[in-house]
Amino acid sequence: MTTTEQAEPAPRRRRGRPGHDQSAILRAAVELFNRRGYDATSMGDLAKELGLTKPAIYHHVTSKEQLLGQALDDALDELTTVVTEATRRPPGVSAYQRLREVVRRSVEVLVAHQPSVTLLLRVRGNSEIELAALERRRWLDDRLADLVADAVAEGALRDDVPPALVSRLLFGMVNSLVEWYRPGGAYDQAMVADAITSIAFDGLARHEP
């Protein structure tokens, strides 16, 4: 190659716009669904929120329904794992201990996935995706009720409140955090988990006459 010749520059790689990968789009979608309502939010609204064109969004996702499904899975997957682990009856661990651990860890899951859990608690079964999410919630309620029944049978919990009702009340206490809990606020995650667990199980404890 002579001194007058120059090497051909290497082709530049095309890179997507920074901050607008699929996970960023999902986060923005969940925030928008919670603020405006899922049914009232269009893909055009999401594109405007992100400063993108609709084709740019469709490069990452196929539909608004796909985003909803991903958000609801984000809200449910980790909690499903927590509850499933608790139902496996490891030797030497009582149902009461496993039940307390589920309640404590459910607080951690909610805090880690608060926007998605907020969206989950607002769905009403208006689509197949929403119906599937509600069915998964019922499964969780049923498994927690089974744990409550086992803890009652052990003599660890009072037996005058139906296990299904206890299950709903426990999850209700945890889910109420979406209305007021803010990371970095007056109460940290560990303090809230301790408070909910203590208040719930002090009230459920069996007291001898």
Side-chain angles (χ1 to χ4, degrees):
M1 182 173 60
T2 67
T3 56
T4 59
E5 293 175 330
Q6 295 183 350
E8 183 178 351
R12 298 178 61 184
R13 285 185 179 178
R14 295 181 61 189
R15 293 186 294 180
R17 294 180 63 174
H20 291 140
D21 58 11
Q22 187 167 352
S23 60
I25 290 172
L26 179 60
R27 286 194 300 271
V30 171
E31 194 278 330
L32 203 56
F33 294 160
N34 284 333
R35 179 162 27 107
R36 301 187 55 172
Y38 172 74
D39 292 330
T41 302
S42 68
M43 292 295 273
D45 295 327
L46 180 58
K48 183 177 180 180
E49 182 83 2
L50 289 166
L52 297 173
T53 63
K54 286 173 67 174
I57 291 182
Y58 283 120
H59 176 73
H60 295 284
V61 296
T62 59
S63 65
K64 186 174 79 164
E65 291 75 16
Q66 181 187 0
L67 288 167
L68 177 63
Q70 290 174 344
L72 298 180
D73 285 345
D74 180 66
L76 286 162
D77 285 352
E78 190 172 348
L79 183 57
T80 299
T81 299
V82 168
V83 172
T84 300
E85 289 174 354
T87 62
R88 287 178 179 157
R89 303 173 184 263
V93 182
S94 68
Y96 176 76
Q97 290 171 307
R98 287 179 279 131
L99 182 61
R100 287 187 68 111
E101 183 66 9
V102 167
V103 172
R104 169 177 290 282
R105 290 184 62 188
S106 67
V107 173
E108 298 172 357
V109 171
L110 184 145
V111 170
H113 303 271
Q114 188 167 349
S116 296
V117 174
T118 301
L119 180 61
L120 170 67
L121 297 178
R122 294 176 180 176
V123 303
R124 293 294 178 265
N126 295 331
S127 67
E128 290 298 321
I129 292 172
E130 293 188 12
L131 288 170
L134 293 177
E135 182 62 30
R136 291 183 68 183
R137 286 189 66 188
R138 282 190 289 271
W139 183 90
L140 292 168
D141 283 336
D142 290 345
R143 299 294 76 73
L144 197 68
D146 291 341
L147 270 177
V148 173
D150 289 345
V152 170
E154 292 172 350
L157 298 182
R158 56 194 296 176
D159 59 4
D160 59 336
V161 183
L165 176 58
V166 173
S167 172
R168 289 180 178 271
L169 291 173
L170 289 174
F171 273 143
M173 288 181 67
V174 175
N175 290 338
S176 70
L177 298 180
V178 303
E179 302 297 334
W180 62 268
Y181 181 82
R182 298 295 179 268
Y187 311 108
D188 64 23
Q189 171 186 302
M191 183 184 297
V192 173
D194 285 342
I196 288 179
T197 304
S198 297
I199 291 170
F201 288 96
D202 286 351
L204 288 169
R206 182 174 180 175
H207 301 286
E208 297 296 335

